[in-house]
Amino acid sequence: MADIVSQAWFWPAVFVSVGLPLLLIGLTEMYNALVRGGSRAAPIVLMVRNYLVPVAAIMVLISQPGAWDEEQSWFKVFATIFGLLVILVVINAVDHLVFHRAEKGSWRDRFPTIFSDLIRFVFIIVGIALLFWWVWGADVAGVFAALGVTSIIVGLALQNAVGSIISGLLLIFESPFEMGDWIETNEDTGYAYGQIVEVNWRAVHLDTGNGILVIPTALLADGSFTNLSRSPEPYLAKREVEFGTDDPPGRVRELLVRVARDIPVSSPDREPTAATLEGSKYSVGIPLQNPGDRSVALNAFSTRLWYAARRAGLHLDGDDTDEWRTADRLQKALHQIAPILGLRGGEADALASSARLERYCQGEVILRPGTVPDATRFILDGRVVLGIPTEDQGFAQVTTLGRDDAIGITALTRTTTISRAVALSEVDVVSLPVAMLDEIVRGHPLLAREIVRESENRVRLARAALAAVGEVLPYGRSMLG
């Protein structure tokens, strides 16, 4: 027994016969655990278990003195196979650790697959050359020389293309944008505006709202652009407008800010701005919650500004004509609401000196909560929703107003309204100031009773609307316009 133990091959044989099964069992359990977890490292462990470990065991056995011929040709064959397996396992392991486990959005995650495959190919060629030099004593200088010459030739032939690709890759590694960001390029790269929907090593894809614009990353790297989504302040949608030369600049700026503030997609974190430019031009900045709302916001602003300028008596684009607000139309409007006010024809005509015709576009706010109306407006045409702002639901609809209904009935009592009135369509109204309402009520006391009755009816509807959303009308704040 002592003679067997003293043999050189004994302990390597024991190691292979005992250690190999245990190692294979351990690798099998590791492989199954990785498969259950969906890990991409499972194929690497499988390669180690099925190929690398058995070949290593064979090498241990045949490496013993006198096991093979003196030249050890078979040992070199197995050493070559073992070396190839080691190269594949190491390269795949490094690829898994560096790229497959990269954090989303990091430079490793954005690294193009084609370049990682190219790097792996180069390392495999170099590893094989070194392996043959070490095991077989082969002269691999020619391989490295050929590889160097080939690299120089390919580099010279593709220097422009490769340079563009490298520029694009550097831009991606810098990470000045990510998926979902809105960017705006400058004139030096060709103007473009859109949301990033895809980024790869060759190009950036922008959704412009009118198709997908593909911009090479090299073009962005060589030019300049603005990432609208990474500003610490809300994005400002800017628009230049022009008014009449006789319009007071202070009133114009006040009108611009007021209209911009009511745009639904505007940001509540920053106030709109307005500035006077040269001549009779003005600029307005509308803060937005999302840069993608720019076209929607500017379209709504331009539409509402036209109506607001007409109501304010200002001259947008220098236009001083208004073919809608005429004396004949005002007379017809007053005769339309005369029965509601209890007036006769002659009494209605007398209101023409102070009454005004106004027009609102869809979505405009006609009455705001927390204000005392300076006039009562009677609807001539169109529909208006009357509601109460709430903390949870945002807006509780009380009722819908139509032809001959009144907006701002709390003007007569000089009380603050808690309701908001928003135009559901284009709305034409005739506006009667408070002083005129006082004169009408003095001559027709029944009108005050009708206004109180309508106010109580709206309070009843408001209680029901708030109860439907789980809220209660606060005591002492029961005045609805």
Side-chain angles (χ1 to χ4, degrees):
M1 184 67 181
D3 294 337
I4 298 177
V5 174
S6 63
Q7 296 295 322
W9 52 264
F10 178 79
W11 291 112
V14 172
F15 171 78
V16 172
S17 59
V18 177
L20 179 62
L22 294 177
L23 185 58
L24 292 177
I25 293 173
L27 291 173
T28 301
E29 293 300 323
M30 181 185 296
Y31 170 74
N32 292 332
L34 293 175
V35 170
R36 288 193 297 269
S39 175
R40 292 185 178 182
I44 302 175
V45 176
L46 184 63
M47 182 184 296
V48 172
R49 186 196 68 177
N50 292 347
Y51 303 105
L52 189 61
V53 171
V55 172
I58 295 174
M59 288 186 60
V60 170
L61 294 177
I62 67 175
S63 64
Q64 301 310 308
W68 295 92
D69 55 40
E70 296 181 356
E71 297 181 358
Q72 295 186 337
S73 299
W74 282 107
F75 177 80
K76 293 181 180 180
V77 170
F78 279 98
T80 303
I81 297 174
F82 180 79
L84 292 175
L85 292 173
V86 170
I87 292 172
L88 292 178
V89 169
V90 170
I91 289 179
N92 282 280
V94 171
D95 181 65
H96 172 73
L97 294 174
V98 174
F99 297 109
H100 292 169
R101 299 186 60 184
E103 296 181 1
K104 187 174 181 57
S106 64
W107 70 268
R108 295 181 298 168
D109 179 59
R110 298 189 303 271
F111 196 81
T113 305
I114 186 174
F115 286 100
S116 63
D117 292 341
L118 181 60
I119 293 174
R120 291 171 59 189
F121 176 76
V122 172
F123 276 106
I124 289 174
I125 296 298
V126 173
I128 292 175
L130 293 175
L131 179 64
F132 274 82
W133 167 75
W134 177 58
V135 176
W136 300 94
D139 184 10
V140 295
V143 175
F144 288 101
L147 186 62
V149 172
T150 303
S151 301
I152 295 174
I153 295 175
V154 172
L156 291 176
L158 301 178
Q159 57 181 337
N160 293 331
V162 173
S164 300
I165 293 175
I166 295 301
S167 299
L169 289 177
L170 292 177
L171 179 69
I172 294 177
F173 294 157
E174 184 183 352
S175 188
F177 47 68
E178 58 186 18
M179 296 286 291
D181 283 355
W182 288 81
I183 67 171
E184 183 178 39
T185 63
N186 295 334
E187 296 296 336
D188 52 357
T189 57
Y191 179 77
Y193 165 81
Q195 185 179 28
I196 299 176
V197 295
E198 182 179 348
V199 178
N200 54 51
W201 64 272
R202 193 189 67 85
V204 174
H205 295 204
L206 294 184
D207 185 359
T208 63
N210 191 28
I212 302 298
L213 177 63
V214 179
I215 303 179
T217 51
L219 186 61
L220 290 177
D222 294 336
S224 57
F225 60 90
T226 303
N227 189 334
L228 306 177
S229 300
R230 293 197 177 182
S231 173
E233 297 290 335
Y235 170 71
L236 281 181
K238 298 182 179 180
R239 173 61 54 87
E240 288 189 9
V241 294
E242 186 173 0
F243 279 80
T245 55
D246 294 333
D247 293 333
R251 287 187 57 200
V252 172
R253 292 195 301 269
E254 181 182 355
L255 176 70
L256 294 175
V257 171
R258 185 169 66 249
V259 173
R261 188 183 294 121
D262 285 338
I263 301 300
V265 294
S266 63
S267 173
D269 300 329
R270 183 177 178 182
E271 278 290 302
T273 59
T276 305
L277 305 179
E278 58 183 11
S280 54
K281 295 182 179 181
Y282 301 83
S283 68
V284 59
I286 309 173
L288 301 181
Q289 303 175 27
N290 187 343
D293 295 330
R294 182 176 72 172
S295 59
V296 175
L298 293 180
N299 178 64
F301 174 79
S302 298
T303 302
R304 297 184 181 191
L305 182 61
W306 185 90
Y307 288 87
R310 287 289 199 276
R311 294 194 302 269
L314 300 175
H315 308 94
L316 181 64
D317 295 328
D319 186 6
D320 58 357
T321 62
D322 191 348
E323 298 180 356
W324 181 76
R325 283 200 312 181
T326 62
D328 291 341
R329 185 171 276 107
L330 179 59
Q331 289 287 353
K332 291 180 181 179
L334 293 174
H335 281 277
Q336 176 179 325
I337 67 171
I340 305 173
L341 301 175
L343 303 178
R344 301 181 180 87
E347 292 176 318
D349 293 337
L351 303 179
S353 60
S354 300
R356 284 173 52 85
L357 288 174
E358 295 177 348
R359 176 175 283 178
Y360 294 83
C361 72
Q362 180 181 2
E364 275 197 283
V365 178
I366 303 177
L367 182 66
R368 290 175 173 80
T371 60
V372 178
D374 58 354
T376 298
R377 295 169 172 83
F378 293 88
I379 300 175
L380 304 175
D381 190 24
R383 297 169 58 247
V384 175
V385 60
L386 186 68
I388 300 176
T390 62
E391 294 182 1
D392 296 334
Q393 301 296 325
F395 185 78
Q397 180 176 338
V398 175
T399 186
T400 300
L401 307 178
R403 182 183 174 92
D404 297 336
D405 287 332
I407 305 172
I409 58 177
T410 62
L412 188 63
T413 57
R414 273 74 169 180
T415 52
T416 302
T417 180
I418 64 172
S419 56
R420 173 183 287 126
V422 182
L424 293 176
S425 63
E426 188 176 68
V427 177
D428 298 338
V429 302
V430 57
S431 175
L432 303 182
V434 176
M436 181 180 293
L437 288 174
D438 290 339
E439 294 180 6
I440 295 174
V441 169
R442 280 194 291 266
H444 302 81
L446 292 178
L447 176 60
R449 183 181 302 174
E450 292 297 324
I451 292 178
V452 172
R453 182 180 303 171
E454 176 62 20
S455 177
E456 292 176 349
N457 178 57
R458 294 184 181 182
V459 169
R460 178 179 57 83
L461 295 174
R463 286 199 178 98
L466 291 175
V469 297
E471 298 197 20
V472 180
L473 187 67
Y475 178 77
R477 299 183 59 195
S478 58
M479 301 306 297
L480 276 80

